[in-house]
Amino acid sequence: GAGVSQSPSNKVTEKGKDVELRCDPISGHTALYWYRQRLGQGLEFLIYFQGNSAPDKSGLPSDRFSAERTGESVSTLTIQRTQQEDSAVYLCASSFIPNSNQPQHFGDGTRLSIL
Amino acid sequence: ILNVEQSPQSLHVQEGDSTNFTCSFPSSNFYALHWYRWETAKSPEALFVMTLNGDEKKKGRISATLNTKEGYSYLYIKGSQPEDSATYLCAFSNAGGTSYGKLTFGQGTILTVHP
């Protein structure tokens, strides 16, 4: 497809389990971003990739969160030992180059619910 | 911590009304200001990316202005239609460093247009 694709669209899991969220950016986009939106809050930056490197991972809330990107394409966000406060919509976006004068193109998100 | 404020938090208008909302951001080290529309069950869609003080952008019935010296942007919708109902997000970027591609989002303005 032409847009940013995220999977799964919904994930329900028990507290303490690990989860992996996947993002397929638009082909040729070198920059990839992860955000999350918790209930009642705004979009919160987590990490961004330039190619396969992550120049800014300052938004990752704890060491239970990690992300990688391979082949300058697919990215995976992993949350270990999930907690209830991790429940949120996780959004991925990509842009042609990692410059904030470029619009970001978003996926539909993964709605993560931790029981 | 960068503070991006949007007002009002929510807005109800009648079809045909014109409306506007505000995004306030730090006036120092400005690089770019983005507006996105996020409809329920869809992905956020880029409306405008603005980089210059005094910028005015237009897309159909929607337009935006930018004042970087005082740190605000207005989004205007002329003749609102029910399909304009969405959350409108603004996002700010300051210049330089490893945060080059990073956006800080406001909490959004939820617009509901009643037929």
Side-chain angles (χ1 to χ4, degrees):
Chain A
V4 176
S5 176
Q6 290 188 246
S7 60
S9 53
N10 284 285
K11 177 76 177 177
V12 180
T13 193
E14 291 178 349
K15 177 181 167 181
K17 301 282 190 188
D18 297 352
V19 294
E20 273 191 3
L21 310 180
R22 177 186 168 108
C23 173
D24 279 276
I26 292 173
S27 178
H29 279 196
T30 60
L32 185 148
Y33 311 84
W34 283 99
Y35 299 91
R36 74 175 178 181
Q37 185 178 43
R38 290 186 286 180
L39 194 63
Q41 299 188 22
L43 270 179
E44 178 187 1
F45 168 83
L46 298 177
I47 185 171
Y48 102 85
F49 288 90
Q50 180 175 340
N52 294 332
S53 302
D56 189 344
K57 49 179 85 172
S58 62
L60 293 178
S62 76
D63 59 8
R64 296 185 295 103
F65 286 71
S66 62
E68 65 172 12
R69 188 180 184 195
T70 55
E72 299 199 356
S73 179
V74 172
S75 176
T76 303
L77 177 70
T78 302
I79 310 173
Q80 295 179 307
R81 305 181 303 281
T82 51
Q83 302 294 311
Q84 287 185 331
E85 63 263 25
D86 300 334
S87 296
V89 175
Y90 288 81
L91 283 166
C92 173
S94 68
S95 63
F96 183 59
I97 55 173
N99 189 316
S100 50
N101 64 10
Q102 299 289 306
Q104 295 185 10
H105 301 266
F106 284 83
D108 288 342
T110 293
R111 184 173 298 276
L112 177 63
S113 301
I114 309 298
L115 302 178
Chain B
I1 296 176
L2 300 175
N3 214 22
V4 180
E5 301 279 348
Q6 289 188 247
S7 63
Q9 279 191 320
S10 65
L11 194 55
H12 290 256
V13 301
Q14 291 297 126
E15 182 175 355
D17 287 351
S18 292
T19 187
N20 66 86
F21 13 97
T22 306
C23 173
S24 302
F25 52 85
S27 56
S28 58
N29 295 325
F30 174 85
Y31 190 76
L33 191 285
H34 294 219
W35 281 101
Y36 292 85
R37 174 169 59 201
W38 193 2
E39 295 179 67
T40 304
K42 295 188 178 180
S43 54
E45 170 200 0
L47 291 173
F48 306 113
V49 178
M50 308 172 81
T51 57
L52 297 175
N53 184 43
D55 248 356
E56 290 189 28
K57 300 247 180 175
K58 189 173 179 182
K59 185 176 181 176
R61 294 179 291 99
I62 305 177
S63 59
T65 61
L66 179 68
N67 183 322
T68 61
K69 294 188 187 307
E70 296 182 39
Y72 65 83
S73 175
Y74 293 136
L75 188 80
Y76 300 91
I77 303 178
K78 187 176 175 182
S80 304
Q81 300 296 309
E83 58 264 30
D84 296 330
S85 298
T87 299
Y88 290 82
L89 299 170
C90 75
F92 164 82
S93 174
N94 61 353
T98 57
S99 301
Y100 203 46
K102 176 180 174 180
L103 295 178
T104 301
F105 281 82
Q107 291 205 321
T109 293
I110 303 170
L111 174 68
T112 305
V113 182
H114 299 279

